[in-house]
PDB file of all heavy atoms in Angstrom:
ATOM      1  N   THR A 135     208.214  81.309 156.099  1.00  0.00           N
ATOM      2  CA  THR A 135     209.016  82.371 156.711  1.00  0.00           C
ATOM      3  C   THR A 135     209.931  81.737 157.742  1.00  0.00           C
ATOM      4  O   THR A 135     209.484  80.961 158.587  1.00  0.00           O
ATOM      5  CB  THR A 135     208.113  83.421 157.393  1.00  0.00           C
ATOM      6  OG1 THR A 135     207.290  84.017 156.390  1.00  0.00           O
ATOM      7  CG2 THR A 135     208.946  84.491 158.077  1.00  0.00           C
ATOM      8  N   ILE A 136     211.209  82.071 157.652  1.00  0.00           N
ATOM      9  CA  ILE A 136     212.203  81.558 158.594  1.00  0.00           C
ATOM     10  C   ILE A 136     212.891  82.767 159.220  1.00  0.00           C
ATOM     11  O   ILE A 136     213.490  83.585 158.518  1.00  0.00           O
ATOM     12  CB  ILE A 136     213.234  80.651 157.897  1.00  0.00           C
ATOM     13  CG1 ILE A 136     212.533  79.473 157.218  1.00  0.00           C
ATOM     14  CG2 ILE A 136     214.279  80.171 158.897  1.00  0.00           C
ATOM     15  CD1 ILE A 136     213.431  78.635 156.325  1.00  0.00           C
ATOM     16  N   PHE A 137     212.803  82.880 160.526  1.00  0.00           N
ATOM     17  CA  PHE A 137     213.411  84.003 161.230  1.00  0.00           C
ATOM     18  C   PHE A 137     214.913  83.778 161.386  1.00  0.00           C
ATOM     19  O   PHE A 137     215.361  82.639 161.542  1.00  0.00           O
ATOM     20  CB  PHE A 137     212.739  84.207 162.589  1.00  0.00           C
ATOM     21  CG  PHE A 137     211.304  84.628 162.447  1.00  0.00           C
ATOM     22  CD1 PHE A 137     210.279  83.709 162.632  1.00  0.00           C
ATOM     23  CD2 PHE A 137     210.978  85.924 162.096  1.00  0.00           C
ATOM     24  CE1 PHE A 137     208.953  84.088 162.491  1.00  0.00           C
ATOM     25  CE2 PHE A 137     209.654  86.315 161.946  1.00  0.00           C
ATOM     26  CZ  PHE A 137     208.644  85.401 162.135  1.00  0.00           C
ATOM     27  N   PHE A 138     215.662  84.862 161.349  1.00  0.00           N
ATOM     28  CA  PHE A 138     217.118  84.754 161.440  1.00  0.00           C
ATOM     29  C   PHE A 138     217.564  84.040 162.711  1.00  0.00           C
ATOM     30  O   PHE A 138     218.531  83.274 162.671  1.00  0.00           O
ATOM     31  CB  PHE A 138     217.782  86.135 161.349  1.00  0.00           C
ATOM     32  CG  PHE A 138     217.772  86.700 159.953  1.00  0.00           C
ATOM     33  CD1 PHE A 138     217.165  87.914 159.703  1.00  0.00           C
ATOM     34  CD2 PHE A 138     218.363  86.022 158.897  1.00  0.00           C
ATOM     35  CE1 PHE A 138     217.154  88.444 158.422  1.00  0.00           C
ATOM     36  CE2 PHE A 138     218.345  86.534 157.615  1.00  0.00           C
ATOM     37  CZ  PHE A 138     217.740  87.748 157.378  1.00  0.00           C
ATOM     38  N   ASP A 139     216.865  84.240 163.823  1.00  0.00           N
ATOM     39  CA  ASP A 139     217.298  83.583 165.060  1.00  0.00           C
ATOM     40  C   ASP A 139     217.059  82.075 165.042  1.00  0.00           C
ATOM     41  O   ASP A 139     217.567  81.347 165.889  1.00  0.00           O
ATOM     42  CB  ASP A 139     216.677  84.236 166.289  1.00  0.00           C
ATOM     43  CG  ASP A 139     215.160  84.161 166.327  1.00  0.00           C
ATOM     44  OD1 ASP A 139     214.547  83.641 165.377  1.00  0.00           O
ATOM     45  OD2 ASP A 139     214.590  84.631 167.328  1.00  0.00           O
ATOM     46  N   ALA A 140     216.311  81.576 164.059  1.00  0.00           N
ATOM     47  CA  ALA A 140     216.093  80.133 163.913  1.00  0.00           C
ATOM     48  C   ALA A 140     217.114  79.492 162.974  1.00  0.00           C
ATOM     49  O   ALA A 140     217.230  78.275 162.919  1.00  0.00           O
ATOM     50  CB  ALA A 140     214.688  79.849 163.399  1.00  0.00           C
ATOM     51  N   LEU A 141     217.858  80.317 162.227  1.00  0.00           N
ATOM     52  CA  LEU A 141     218.826  79.799 161.254  1.00  0.00           C
ATOM     53  C   LEU A 141     220.127  79.382 161.925  1.00  0.00           C
ATOM     54  O   LEU A 141     220.723  80.146 162.673  1.00  0.00           O
ATOM     55  CB  LEU A 141     219.168  80.879 160.222  1.00  0.00           C
ATOM     56  CG  LEU A 141     218.177  81.130 159.115  1.00  0.00           C
ATOM     57  CD1 LEU A 141     218.615  82.324 158.281  1.00  0.00           C
ATOM     58  CD2 LEU A 141     218.024  79.910 158.242  1.00  0.00           C
ATOM     59  N   ALA A 142     220.564  78.184 161.642  1.00  0.00           N
ATOM     60  CA  ALA A 142     221.890  77.744 162.060  1.00  0.00           C
ATOM     61  C   ALA A 142     222.889  78.017 160.939  1.00  0.00           C
ATOM     62  O   ALA A 142     224.022  78.432 161.184  1.00  0.00           O
ATOM     63  CB  ALA A 142     221.892  76.260 162.410  1.00  0.00           C
ATOM     64  N   GLU A 143     222.449  77.802 159.688  1.00  0.00           N
ATOM     65  CA  GLU A 143     223.333  78.009 158.535  1.00  0.00           C
ATOM     66  C   GLU A 143     222.489  78.110 157.273  1.00  0.00           C
ATOM     67  O   GLU A 143     221.468  77.445 157.144  1.00  0.00           O
ATOM     68  CB  GLU A 143     224.300  76.831 158.403  1.00  0.00           C
ATOM     69  CG  GLU A 143     225.273  76.961 157.275  1.00  0.00           C
ATOM     70  CD  GLU A 143     226.254  75.805 157.224  1.00  0.00           C
ATOM     71  OE1 GLU A 143     227.277  75.872 157.920  1.00  0.00           O
ATOM     72  OE2 GLU A 143     225.975  74.825 156.498  1.00  0.00           O
ATOM     73  N   ALA A 144     222.940  78.946 156.352  1.00  0.00           N
ATOM     74  CA  ALA A 144     222.291  79.070 155.037  1.00  0.00           C
ATOM     75  C   ALA A 144     223.375  79.284 153.990  1.00  0.00           C
ATOM     76  O   ALA A 144     224.231  80.156 154.156  1.00  0.00           O
ATOM     77  CB  ALA A 144     221.303  80.212 155.017  1.00  0.00           C
ATOM     78  N   VAL A 145     223.337  78.477 152.934  1.00  0.00           N
ATOM     79  CA  VAL A 145     224.306  78.632 151.841  1.00  0.00           C
ATOM     80  C   VAL A 145     223.550  78.640 150.511  1.00  0.00           C
ATOM     81  O   VAL A 145     222.499  78.024 150.370  1.00  0.00           O
ATOM     82  CB  VAL A 145     225.374  77.510 151.820  1.00  0.00           C
ATOM     83  CG1 VAL A 145     226.269  77.567 153.034  1.00  0.00           C
ATOM     84  CG2 VAL A 145     224.742  76.145 151.695  1.00  0.00           C
ATOM     85  N   VAL A 146     224.118  79.345 149.556  1.00  0.00           N
ATOM     86  CA  VAL A 146     223.560  79.379 148.206  1.00  0.00           C
ATOM     87  C   VAL A 146     223.918  78.073 147.521  1.00  0.00           C
ATOM     88  O   VAL A 146     225.067  77.632 147.560  1.00  0.00           O
ATOM     89  CB  VAL A 146     224.130  80.586 147.424  1.00  0.00           C
ATOM     90  CG1 VAL A 146     223.594  80.584 145.987  1.00  0.00           C
ATOM     91  CG2 VAL A 146     223.785  81.896 148.123  1.00  0.00           C
ATOM     92  N   LYS A 147     222.927  77.449 146.917  1.00  0.00           N
ATOM     93  CA  LYS A 147     223.171  76.202 146.180  1.00  0.00           C
ATOM     94  C   LYS A 147     223.699  76.546 144.805  1.00  0.00           C
ATOM     95  O   LYS A 147     223.157  77.416 144.125  1.00  0.00           O
ATOM     96  CB  LYS A 147     221.890  75.376 146.077  1.00  0.00           C
ATOM     97  CG  LYS A 147     221.404  74.935 147.419  1.00  0.00           C
ATOM     98  CD  LYS A 147     220.916  73.569 147.593  1.00  0.00           C
ATOM     99  CE  LYS A 147     221.053  72.601 146.518  1.00  0.00           C
ATOM    100  NZ  LYS A 147     221.357  71.266 146.915  1.00  0.00           N
TER     101      LYS A 147
END
Side-chain angles (χ1 to χ4, degrees):
T135 298
I136 302 171
F137 294 102
F138 286 121
D139 62 357
L141 282 174
E143 182 177 274
V145 294
V146 177
K147 296 223 7 143

